[in-house]
Amino acid sequence: MSHIASNLKAHKLEVPEDLLVHLVLLSLPTQFSQFKVSYNCQKEKWSLNELISYCVQEEERLKQDRVEVAQLATSSSNKGKGLKRKPIENAAVDKGPSQKKQHKESGCYFCGKSDHMKKNCAKYTAWRAKKGLSELPKAN
């Protein structure tokens, strides 16, 4: 604004300083709203240089008060299936695909031992025979 005013002055068009201060105050972003209110509540008016120095001070104060915020958004691959999305708190502890794969290869799901798979488990075969299920289901 002061650069524009000095260019206008070079063309013999002077802008009164109080108008220039007013235009600068109007151009400040919304973070300076408290600063604007405090200026409007005062009886004395500032010069352009005073306004610039107070704006610099206010900007430093705003930088110190600023809190860093990070937003986390999650999406679900089950769109339209009626399943609820996981809350953000649980998103950090969600098992990745590599952890799930390791669990799948860890051993028998039926008895929990790691030296064989469910299809080779003697306890599972005995349980199926007791239930009257003779054939193993085919894997997809």
Side-chain angles (χ1 to χ4, degrees):
M1 289 281 190
S2 62
H3 180 67
I4 293 170
S6 64
N7 285 343
L8 289 172
K9 198 175 202 179
H11 290 34
K12 298 179 182 172
L13 296 170
E14 285 204 36
V15 178
E17 190 171 22
D18 58 341
L19 177 63
L20 191 57
V21 168
H22 181 71
L23 291 173
V24 169
L25 284 169
L26 288 176
S27 69
L28 290 174
T30 57
Q31 293 90 345
F32 286 81
S33 59
Q34 288 179 333
F35 179 74
K36 292 177 191 179
V37 168
S38 67
Y39 173 78
N40 289 329
C41 291
Q42 293 181 12
K43 289 184 181 179
E44 68 177 71
K45 301 300 174 190
W46 297 336
S47 68
L48 184 60
N49 289 333
E50 287 175 322
L51 177 63
I52 290 171
S53 68
Y54 291 140
C55 282
V56 169
Q57 289 175 4
E58 181 68 10
E59 186 177 23
E60 291 299 319
R61 187 190 68 77
L62 289 172
K63 282 182 185 177
Q64 289 175 354
D65 291 347
R66 187 181 309 155
V67 176
E68 304 246 349
V69 177
Q71 300 284 335
L72 174 65
T74 61
S75 64
S76 175
S77 61
N78 300 322
K79 290 183 180 177
K81 294 183 182 176
L83 299 175
K84 292 185 179 180
R85 292 183 180 177
K86 293 180 182 177
I88 291 175
E89 300 85 41
N90 294 337
V93 295
D94 188 21
K95 293 181 180 178
S98 62
Q99 290 176 341
K100 289 178 183 177
K101 190 172 185 180
Q102 288 174 351
H103 178 66
K104 187 175 182 180
E105 296 172 357
S106 65
C108 180
Y109 287 120
F110 191 76
C111 69
K113 293 183 180 177
S114 61
D115 60 341
H116 63 273
M117 301 300 279
K118 183 178 172 182
K119 64 183 178 182
N120 302 327
C121 181
K123 288 184 181 181
Y124 180 65
T125 307
W127 176 81
R128 288 190 56 83
K130 183 179 176 183
K131 292 287 184 183
L133 305 170
S134 61
E135 227 176 273
L136 287 175
K138 303 221 184 229
N140 292 337

